[in-house]
Amino acid sequence: MVGREKEFSVHFVPGNCQLVEEEVNVPNRRVLITGATGLLGRAVYKEFHQNNWHAVGCGFRRARPKFEHVNLLDANAVHHIIYDFQPHVIVHCAAERRPDVVENQPDAAAQLNVDASGNLAKEAAAIGAFLIYISSDYVFDGTNPPYREEDIPSPLNLYGKTKLEGEKAVLENNLGAAVLRIPILYGEVEKLEESSVTVMFDKVQFSNKSANMDHWQQRFPTHVKDVASVCRQLAEKRMLDPSIKGTFHWSGNEQMTKYEMACAIADAFNLPSSHLRPITDSPVLGAQRPKNSQLDCSKLETLGIGQRTPFRIGIKESLWPFLIDKRWRQTGFL
């Protein structure tokens, strides 16, 4: 897995097709990414892979053929992939991240968000791998922002509680691990429903129908490629400095409600927004949400770590493939 390996490639010219064995360089820095089929996991895999790391991703339902199929609830399977690959770094992106699903399936969510995370931390510690556990701004109740890493968590919903318990399980089983808390994410989605930011695009585009949009909860939309870059920077700093561990925060710095995000999306694509209706009441359905769980990111910034993509640029890149009005494609970037 280190140095040079044999790889087969197909060489094709008209009338002739050959299978050729070639030597390829394999980077000597190894990273394992869990949840590599998900929105964040794909970005993390891509970031490490493109920056001279030997990256291996694992997933569950959508793993094959690009990634390893690993059930994180199977302790033996986790043990084997870690011991076979011997990663220097593990980025643990896999989680049940939908608050309403966690409320309805608390046991399954706790198994993945807490138990599997603790076991992964234990296995990482056994081989001396640096584990980055992805956590959430929902560990805070949103009443006194911005939140620093040392502020006392007080989650309002079960999702936030499972992520907080996951943090504790990781740090108890691996003293050298890192916890990275992040807020609402968006990026290059495979389908709009993959992010609670991009899912709004249909409501924005269908302007013949009025749409209610939350204008109560203050969010800080963050591009997954920025989080991926922070993970890589954190990993590379840690390989030079073993004191890099503990809890960290990263977030975009543009404060918006979902209504304001939807209006920004409409503006980015020159679409009307008059059909979007701001709802300023606190939501009554589903899991309780914090009003403003803004994260203070100065700890990472002081280390020289960070990357932020402006929302208008990032959201245009992410949603461009889902634009219905094809005429805009011909004029939008002229």
Side-chain angles (χ1 to χ4, degrees):
M1 292 196 177
V2 180
R4 301 181 71 81
E5 285 188 355
K6 301 287 186 182
E7 190 174 89
F8 289 97
S9 61
V10 176
H11 285 207
F12 177 78
V13 293
N16 185 30
C17 183
Q18 289 182 312
L19 189 65
V20 179
E21 186 181 57
E22 298 175 333
E23 280 198 341
V24 294
N25 282 316
V26 178
N28 59 7
R29 300 180 298 181
R30 297 181 298 279
V31 59
L32 177 69
I33 298 110
T34 73
T37 57
L39 176 62
L40 176 59
R42 294 194 305 271
V44 172
Y45 176 87
K46 184 178 180 182
E47 173 72 18
F48 278 90
H49 181 69
Q50 291 181 344
N51 284 277
N52 201 33
W53 283 76
H54 182 187
V56 167
C58 60
F60 190 50
R61 282 183 296 274
R62 298 176 289 165
R64 302 297 189 191
K66 186 175 182 179
F67 300 120
E68 299 295 318
H69 180 271
V70 179
N71 180 359
L72 295 179
L73 304 183
D74 181 343
N76 283 331
V78 171
H79 175 81
H80 283 304
I81 191 167
I82 289 176
Y83 271 76
D84 288 347
F85 184 49
Q86 292 286 312
H88 299 100
V89 175
I90 300 171
V91 185
H92 182 28
C93 300
E96 178 48 74
R97 58 173 182 78
R98 298 163 294 179
D100 295 334
V101 173
V102 176
E103 297 287 337
N104 293 324
Q105 301 173 21
D107 293 340
Q111 282 185 317
L112 181 58
N113 292 0
V114 184
D115 301 342
S117 301
N119 180 59
L120 201 62
K122 201 179 298 181
E123 293 287 358
I127 65 160
F130 176 48
L131 175 67
I132 301 174
Y133 168 77
I134 303 297
S135 189
S136 169
D137 60 337
Y138 272 31
V139 300
F140 297 110
D141 63 13
T143 59
N144 191 28
Y147 291 96
R148 298 174 65 87
E149 288 83 354
E150 61 270 18
D151 288 334
I152 306 298
S154 179
L156 293 178
N157 58 40
L158 195 54
Y159 166 68
K161 288 172 184 170
T162 64
K163 292 306 289 183
L164 180 59
E165 289 302 311
E167 290 184 11
K168 292 175 181 175
V170 163
L171 296 174
E172 284 170 5
N173 284 287
N174 189 329
L175 297 177
V179 167
L180 180 62
R181 294 178 181 143
I182 55 174
I184 189 171
L185 300 176
Y186 73 97
E188 294 180 8
V189 293
E190 292 179 345
K191 52 186 179 181
L192 292 175
E193 298 77 23
E194 213 173 10
S195 157
S196 53
V197 177
T198 58
V199 75
M200 296 187 286
F201 198 32
D202 280 345
K203 287 184 177 179
V204 171
Q205 293 193 86
F206 295 118
S207 56
N208 59 336
K209 185 179 179 182
S210 67
N212 293 342
M213 311 298 296
D214 175 59
H215 195 42
W216 175 81
Q217 189 181 15
Q218 304 296 317
R219 312 302 300 271
F220 293 81
T222 302
H223 202 304
V224 288
K225 71 181 181 184
D226 295 340
V227 177
S229 177
V230 165
C231 287
R232 179 185 57 81
Q233 292 173 56
L234 195 59
E236 291 176 353
K237 241 189 184 22
R238 164 58 180 259
M239 293 186 79
L240 301 172
D241 180 1
S243 72
I244 301 290
K245 59 185 178 180
T247 305
F248 300 92
H249 290 169
W250 191 253
S251 169
N253 57 3
E254 296 170 83
Q255 180 172 330
M256 302 181 198
T257 62
K258 284 197 172 180
Y259 168 72
E260 289 167 330
M261 287 183 226
C263 289
I265 291 168
D267 183 60
F269 288 99
N270 296 331
L271 296 169
S273 60
S274 57
H275 65 295
L276 303 173
R277 298 179 56 226
I279 304 299
T280 56
D281 298 332
S282 170
V284 292
L285 297 175
Q288 193 177 358
R289 266 72 166 175
K291 182 169 186 181
N292 184 350
S293 50
Q294 180 183 6
L295 299 172
D296 181 317
C297 305
S298 54
K299 184 175 175 182
L300 278 177
E301 289 166 345
T302 301
L303 289 171
I305 292 174
Q307 175 179 299
R308 287 190 177 98
T309 301
F311 183 73
R312 184 188 168 92
I313 293 172
I315 203 64
K316 192 184 285 187
E317 289 174 353
S318 304
L319 292 176
W320 178 243
F322 299 92
L323 185 66
I324 293 168
D325 187 349
K326 299 299 188 286
R327 291 169 300 175
W328 198 92
R329 287 177 181 269
Q330 298 165 12
T331 60
F333 284 106
L334 296 180

